[in-house]
Amino acid sequence: MRLLAPTPENLALAAERLRAGGLVGLPTETVYGLAANALDEAAISRVFALKGRPKDHPLIVHLASAGQLSQWSAAVDERAVRLAEALWPGPLTIVLRKARAVPDAVTGGQPTVALRVPAHPVARAVLELFGGGLAAPSANRFGRVSPTTAAHVASEFPDADLMVLDGGASVVGLESTIIDLSGSTPRVLRPGDVARDQLEEVLGEAVAIGHGAAAPRVPGSLPSHYAPGAPTFLVAINELLTTVDEKSAVLALRPAPAGFAGAWVQLPADPRGYGAGLYTALRQLDAESPARLVIERVPDDANWLAVRDRLERASAPRPDAVARRSA
């Protein structure tokens, strides 16, 4: 494990490592990714093995520019072009029918591929030097809390043969919005920083939310995901103080009450500020090894959709919680 500053020399070293089939921890504006050459099936296999990720769980391919879309998709329609022009680079992933050359290992055996142009300057520099597409799922063990700093990546894979470029904390802090354009109806399959109304404004048509019957599998769609090791519970504010005790760790929108002896983190009461700090807060609280992690429910409105999605998955029942803590 090597944490390196993103100097010109290290950026070139990262691109060369990727060409040689190695893995690189790469900062993006959403979360840190575990990057590999998206056309190198052996490298992709190493990503799945290191993460402990199911082979049928597709990966997002990161590109240097929208000009590369036709290399990866068999059908780049006008909707994809409009979204790319308006919202790339940025935290938006577009699902399209895949080109023949895209390995099934990247798409989980599906006929679709998920594509994104990230906005982080370090990710963009590496992509431009590399010249191709990089498959880059979050740089953490599968199902665990996503990493938003280089230190988080190092804590996930302390003994791995891995180079990590330290690009600072991810400013968005939540995974990208995923929109499926492989069918006739645009559909958000994972909420993120790019909201539904932004997509509808660009497309000039209604965008559905959630998985339809024929929607492809996408990252982050399992009921339990982004999960701390401690049993995690979402509670309403009027239940919060009656639920917690000194063995609890708490994530809330308000400060800890006087005399509370457990760990307590207060996040901003705006959805973007909350999202940017969420995964760091979950990691901080989980590191206290609490008996339970209790999270105050966030507002039930459209602006908080992406945050609510992550909190609901983090607190979903998971029989492997004990195993996950020891992983």
Side-chain angles (χ1 to χ4, degrees):
M1 168 65 65
R2 292 177 293 164
L3 294 181
L4 299 175
T7 63
E9 295 78 13
N10 288 336
L11 294 172
L13 183 64
E16 182 56 36
R17 180 180 176 88
L18 290 161
R19 291 189 199 100
L23 308 184
V24 173
L26 195 64
T28 82
E29 73 278 18
T30 56
V31 300
Y32 273 65
L34 185 61
N37 181 349
L39 295 179
D40 185 335
E41 295 197 45
I44 295 301
S45 180
R46 283 191 281 276
V47 169
F48 279 100
L50 188 58
K51 283 179 61 67
R53 185 184 182 99
K55 290 293 183 70
D56 66 350
H57 211 62
L59 307 178
I60 294 172
V61 177
H62 294 65
L63 307 176
S65 74
Q68 296 174 301
L69 270 174
S70 60
Q71 300 171 31
W72 295 87
S73 173
V76 182
D77 66 20
E78 183 186 356
R79 298 174 302 173
V81 173
R82 291 206 303 272
L83 286 175
E85 289 177 346
L87 298 168
W88 277 358
L92 176 68
T93 294
I94 301 174
V95 177
L96 298 167
R97 306 291 291 184
K98 80 179 186 74
R100 184 175 300 177
V102 180
D104 285 345
V106 169
T107 67
Q110 301 180 113
T112 55
V113 63
L115 302 166
R116 180 165 98 87
V117 175
H120 196 290
V122 174
R124 292 181 59 75
V126 172
L127 282 161
E128 288 167 3
L129 288 168
F130 177 70
L134 295 176
S138 57
N140 57 287
R141 305 284 181 182
F142 184 71
R144 291 170 58 98
V145 177
S146 298
T148 53
T149 69
H152 293 165
V153 181
S155 70
E156 289 285 325
F157 307 114
D159 301 319
D161 179 17
L162 184 62
M163 170 185 177
V164 182
L165 292 172
D166 189 348
S170 298
V171 295
V172 173
L174 297 178
E175 296 79 5
S176 61
T177 302
I178 299 179
I179 184 169
D180 176 25
L181 297 182
S182 65
S184 58
T185 301
R187 185 176 295 274
V188 171
L189 303 183
R190 181 177 70 186
D193 191 62
V194 177
R196 179 188 196 175
D197 58 355
Q198 293 175 271
L199 298 169
E200 291 181 332
E201 181 178 356
V202 173
L203 292 175
E205 62 179 302
V207 173
I209 297 285
H211 284 68
R217 295 186 307 277
V218 294
S221 57
L222 296 178
S224 176
H225 214 70
Y226 317 116
T232 302
F233 303 91
L234 280 177
V235 302
I237 180 56
N238 60 347
E239 301 171 349
L240 183 64
L241 295 182
T242 61
T243 303
V244 301
D245 57 26
E246 69 278 0
K247 296 180 180 179
S248 303
V250 180
L251 180 61
L253 291 164
R254 62 210 70 246
F260 181 75
W264 187 296
V265 171
Q266 178 187 6
L267 285 179
D270 72 274
R272 281 191 164 166
Y274 190 109
L278 174 58
Y279 290 151
T280 293
L282 290 178
R283 285 176 174 271
Q284 176 185 336
L285 291 170
D286 204 34
E288 299 290 328
S289 298
R292 65 196 64 81
L293 202 163
V294 181
I295 303 175
E296 177 189 348
R297 289 189 181 276
V298 297
D300 187 20
D301 65 57
N303 292 329
W304 288 86
L305 178 61
V307 168
R308 285 200 311 276
D309 174 80
R310 303 317 191 270
L311 294 181
E312 287 165 3
R313 296 183 195 281
S315 58
R318 52 192 196 281
D320 63 330
V322 174
R324 183 177 286 139
R325 175 179 287 282
S326 62

